[in-house]
Amino acid sequence: MATRPTTSAPSQRMLRVGEQVRAAITQVLQRGEVRDDLIERTVISISEVRMSPDLKIATAFVTPLGVADHDLIIDTLNRHTKYIRGRLGQHLRQMKFMPEIRFKDDTSFDNYKKIDALLRSPEVQRDLKDDDTDTDENR
């Protein structure tokens, strides 16, 4: 009996549905359909939505812009998930089941900053200069 290879990479369908859910959540938030002062006065960027393999759970990675306390915004969004899920029905009519939505803080921007700072550090710059002189000597 042949076994299926296991992979953690998302399928094309998961990626496509995730992008559709991301666009729908963005529209709901941009139109101010969620009646909460904190959400209404905060600019929220949704960088990605990852779907579970069965498409029943959507994890939205969000970055509140210009806000120091991301956890407060994430908690507020998670309190409104049932309402947001109901509003998504207008945008995602083709889906058999409306996914459960979970909001998480997107820390990828922080990771990019750390990598950029490392690449610009004097130690790395020194090593890069050493590599350039080595290749010049070998020519």
Side-chain angles (χ1 to χ4, degrees), residues 17-124:
V17 171
E19 181 56 27
Q20 290 171 341
V21 171
R22 187 196 68 76
I25 294 171
T26 300
Q27 285 183 355
V28 168
L29 293 176
Q30 282 180 343
R31 291 182 180 164
E33 295 179 30
V34 179
R35 299 285 183 225
D36 187 291
D37 289 339
L38 185 61
I39 292 175
E40 287 177 357
R41 68 174 184 249
T42 305
V43 177
I44 299 172
S45 170
I46 302 175
S47 57
E48 179 184 8
V49 172
R50 292 185 191 159
M51 299 300 298
S52 63
D54 62 0
L55 304 179
K56 291 189 178 183
I57 299 173
T59 304
F61 291 90
V62 300
T63 303
L65 303 176
V67 177
D69 187 7
H70 288 200
D71 292 337
L72 182 60
I73 303 291
I74 302 299
D75 291 343
T76 303
L77 285 168
N78 281 318
R79 274 199 319 268
H80 292 286
T81 54
K82 287 183 181 180
Y83 178 78
I84 294 171
R85 183 181 184 197
R87 302 302 299 161
L88 294 182
Q90 299 172 4
H91 304 282
L92 302 170
R93 291 188 184 120
Q94 76 279 7
M95 293 188 68
K96 188 174 184 179
F97 299 103
M98 200 53 50
E100 175 186 328
I101 302 188
R102 299 175 182 167
F103 291 98
K104 289 193 175 184
D105 192 15
D106 185 3
T107 59
S108 62
F109 294 113
D110 294 335
N111 293 338
Y112 296 141
K113 281 185 194 175
K114 288 177 187 174
I115 291 170
D116 188 52
L118 281 172
L119 291 174
R120 294 177 189 275
S121 70
E123 294 84 8
V124 172

Side-chain angles (χ1 to χ4, degrees), residues 119 121-139:
L119 291 174
S121 70
E123 294 84 8
V124 172
Q125 293 299 317
R126 182 191 66 229
D127 290 345
L128 290 174
K129 287 180 183 174
D130 288 347
D131 285 346
D132 289 343
T133 57
D134 287 346
T135 56
D136 290 341
E137 292 173 1
N138 292 336
R139 288 183 189 180

